[in-house]
Amino acid sequence: MKQSQLFTKTRREAPKDEVSKNAQLLIRAGYIHKEMAGVYDFLPLGLRVLNKIVGIIREEMNAIGGQEVHMTALQDKGKWEATDRWSDKVNDIWFKTKLKNDTELGLGFTHEEPLTSIMKDHIRSYKDLPKAVYQFQTKFRNEARAKSGILRGREFLMKDLYSFSIDEKSHNIYYAKAKDAYMKIFNRLGIGDQTFVTFATGGSFSKYSHEFQTLCEAGEDLIYIDEKKKMAVNKEVLNDEVLNDLGLSRAELVEKKAIEVGNIFSLGTKFSGALGLNYRDESGKDIAVNMGCYGIGPSRVMGTIAEVWSDDKGLVWPESVAPFKVHLVAIFGKDTASGGAGKVRQAADELYASLTAKGVEVLYDDRDCSAGEKFGDSDLIGIPWRYVISEKTLATDSIEVKDRKTGTVEMKKLK
Ligand code: ATP
Ligand code: MG
């Protein structure tokens, strides 16, 4: 893509009402636009990053047998009354709306109820299980505080997978697979080293649930980590009994701020029981399906990467999620300052064409502006590899290659 064609512009100053680093950087670099607190638009660069994150998650969900669907945001009150989750007293994060005839509807904040209902049409016998179904979908949550940029949206993207098994034993096998898949995802997203599997309360159907917590000063959660064992517990379960159970010792644990990037949970028969999702076993008996749910917020993950991988100059995207792999920055000499077809422009155009033809994703800064402005923008946008082409580099038939992460500079021959 040619930068002269990109409609977004960078800006020097962050918006005054934005306190979080992720949103400040992402807005300044033109990745996102703020509609209001907790509500953000994804612009071309931002959407490219979000889609890369989604792509990685999708591959790993497919690898554990997930089947992708896309469910509705509008929610039928009856299903949520059946599980006692409709009332604002039980759940105060609902956004609700009404039809013209006054029928109440909700905007989904999660999707256990509607998916359990869908599965009732399709699961009949033990032969139909296990199954796993997932989606990437916009969730709505009336969050009390929304000061963390895209880490905490009131409207945000979630990947939610739900598993359906014959019993707890079979569920536990799938749950372990999903847990592994989650760590694979965070490794591929470039935040594996900072991300801890964190034991949290399990609800009524299992001893623990697991959160995936990425160490970060911007995090809203406090976790207690054992660095050597790469394990952590959250505040709710920090007690002698749990530590004993997990073989952890309080003296070894360090308190850290962290961002919950993912959460997996055993649901047992809570939803299948309430909504009547049963299967028929070999003896002809109807039994409630055993369920699990597995969430990741791709938009929160994007904000987390922006927090973890940035410096005083701007964003530093890991290659796996960067909007482009190469930022080709052409420094036009005097002969091309007027936009004419000078030597540098010609060489840069050719390099852009040949890289693109090879399938390399390139953002080509072909704008007529100063070198200083181009380098500043390039640091801010944070593409992993910067290729500089100028009269000076062409004198040796070379380009300058700079690694955004390490700052290492190398000259490479053009041919
Ligand atoms: P939190 O405790 O941070 O409010 P949660 O426990 O309510 O999150 P879950 O219901 O487990 O979140 O949602 C699954 C995943 O969706 C989370 O792990 C997180 O990655 C993402 N997520 C949850 N709430 C938000 C939000 N408001 N904005 C962006 N992502 C979110
Ligand atoms: Mg959670």
Side-chain angles (χ1 to χ4, degrees):
M1 175 170 219
K2 290 188 172 170
Q3 210 165 329
S4 60
Q5 300 302 305
L6 187 64
F7 79 79
T8 56
K9 301 271 185 292
T10 59
R11 35 165 143 165
R12 234 163 280 281
E13 302 292 330
K16 295 216 163 38
D17 62 339
E18 191 59 73
V19 293
S20 77
K21 180 165 86 168
N22 69 84
Q24 285 183 349
L25 282 173
L26 292 167
I27 290 169
R28 281 184 52 212
Y31 284 77
I32 61 173
H33 173 87
K34 184 177 191 173
E35 288 293 336
M36 59 187 107
V39 183
Y40 296 88
D41 306 289
F42 286 77
L43 305 180
L45 293 175
L47 186 59
R48 288 181 78 98
V49 174
L50 193 64
N51 283 339
K52 296 252 167 102
I53 295 169
V54 163
I56 288 172
I57 299 172
R58 177 178 285 127
E59 278 177 23
E60 297 301 337
M61 292 300 99
N62 289 344
I64 57 168
Q67 299 180 37
E68 187 169 354
V69 297
H70 186 84
M71 298 173 68
T72 66
L74 292 176
Q75 296 298 307
D76 163 29
K77 173 180 169 181
K79 296 186 181 105
W80 296 80
E81 281 177 334
T83 58
D84 194 26
R85 291 213 291 179
W86 177 257
S87 161
D88 294 328
K89 290 194 191 90
V90 180
N91 204 315
D92 66 355
I93 56 166
W94 270 116
F95 280 109
K96 289 177 178 169
T97 185
K98 271 183 188 164
L99 295 180
K100 289 201 193 311
N101 70 5
D102 275 350
T103 303
E104 277 191 292
L105 301 177
L107 296 176
F109 63 91
T110 181
H111 278 76
E112 282 84 359
E113 281 80 349
L115 183 59
T116 305
S117 304
I118 290 175
M119 296 311 271
K120 279 171 70 177
D121 288 347
H122 303 283
I123 289 178
R124 298 199 180 115
S125 104
Y126 66 95
K127 289 179 194 156
D128 298 327
L129 296 171
K131 287 286 178 289
V133 180
Y134 76 98
Q135 63 174 345
F136 292 93
Q137 199 256 1
T138 303
K139 301 284 192 253
F140 296 87
R141 293 187 180 186
N142 200 345
E143 302 274 5
R145 279 162 288 111
K147 289 190 183 148
S148 298
I150 58 170
L151 297 179
R152 187 170 296 286
R154 293 195 164 112
E155 172 177 343
F156 63 95
L157 192 64
M158 194 196 285
K159 183 285 299 173
D160 40 335
L161 179 139
Y162 304 87
S163 65
F164 304 86
S165 305
I166 53 164
D167 57 16
E168 197 182 331
K169 191 174 152 214
S170 163
H171 163 76
N172 287 340
I173 293 169
Y174 192 81
Y175 188 92
K177 252 204 259 183
K179 196 161 126 210
D180 288 347
Y182 266 48
M183 267 329 291
K184 257 191 217 158
I185 289 168
F186 297 120
N187 282 325
R188 289 182 63 186
L189 293 171
I191 51 173
D193 289 348
Q194 300 84 347
T195 301
F196 282 71
V197 176
T198 304
F199 289 79
T201 45
S204 38
F205 289 97
S206 67
K207 216 164 175 181
Y208 304 110
S209 67
H210 295 90
E211 295 170 347
F212 294 80
Q213 294 272 6
T214 307
L215 302 186
C216 180
E217 273 307 305
E220 295 177 2
D221 293 1
L222 279 179
I223 62 165
Y224 301 83
I225 66 166
D226 185 320
E227 212 128 13
K228 274 191 227 115
K229 295 192 175 130
K230 194 94 207 281
M231 271 169 75
V233 297
N234 77 8
K235 224 171 174 169
E236 306 163 334
V237 298
L238 182 72
N239 60 58
D240 291 341
E241 195 191 320
V242 169
L243 294 182
N244 207 17
D245 186 38
L246 299 175
L248 296 171
S249 116
R250 182 65 186 91
E252 302 276 307
L253 299 180
V254 185
E255 185 184 88
K256 294 270 186 190
K257 280 189 178 170
I259 301 167
E260 182 205 300
V261 285
N263 193 188
I264 62 176
F265 219 89
S266 297
L267 299 172
T269 54
K270 180 174 167 189
F271 295 93
S272 51
L275 291 157
L277 173 63
N278 300 314
Y279 70 91
R280 192 147 287 185
D281 76 0
E282 274 176 296
S283 67
K285 211 167 69 188
D286 283 336
I287 295 177
V289 172
N290 195 294
M291 291 172 54
C293 67
Y294 313 79
I296 295 184
S299 49
R300 179 179 287 187
V301 164
M302 178 170 156
T304 303
I305 298 171
E307 292 280 346
V308 171
W309 290 114
S310 51
D311 60 20
D312 54 350
K313 294 196 185 81
L315 297 151
V316 186
W317 296 110
E319 230 170 279
S320 60
V321 300
F324 294 91
K325 185 177 171 191
V326 170
H327 200 174
L328 174 58
V329 177
I331 308 300
F332 300 131
K334 287 191 193 79
D335 63 332
T336 42
S338 57
K343 225 171 51 182
V344 176
R345 189 180 292 273
Q346 218 174 329
D349 282 356
E350 274 170 28
L351 182 57
Y352 174 61
S354 79
L355 287 169
T356 307
K358 274 189 257 172
V360 181
E361 292 175 305
V362 183
L363 180 63
Y364 171 22
D365 192 348
D366 61 334
R367 298 172 303 164
D368 287 310
C369 60
S370 74
E373 203 172 323
K374 289 192 175 193
F375 291 144
D377 280 354
S378 177
D379 284 336
L380 179 61
I381 291 170
I383 292 167
W385 299 100
R386 181 197 293 171
Y387 289 5
V388 179
I389 189 160
S390 66
E391 282 180 335
K392 202 174 111 202
T393 70
L394 283 182
T396 55
D397 217 15
S398 308
I399 54 165
E400 183 192 287
V401 177
K402 185 170 181 185
D403 181 337
R404 176 67 180 89
K405 193 167 153 189
T406 62
T408 316
V409 177
E410 224 182 289
M411 296 305 289
K412 276 217 171 109
K413 286 281 176 206
L414 261 175
K415 286 179 192 93

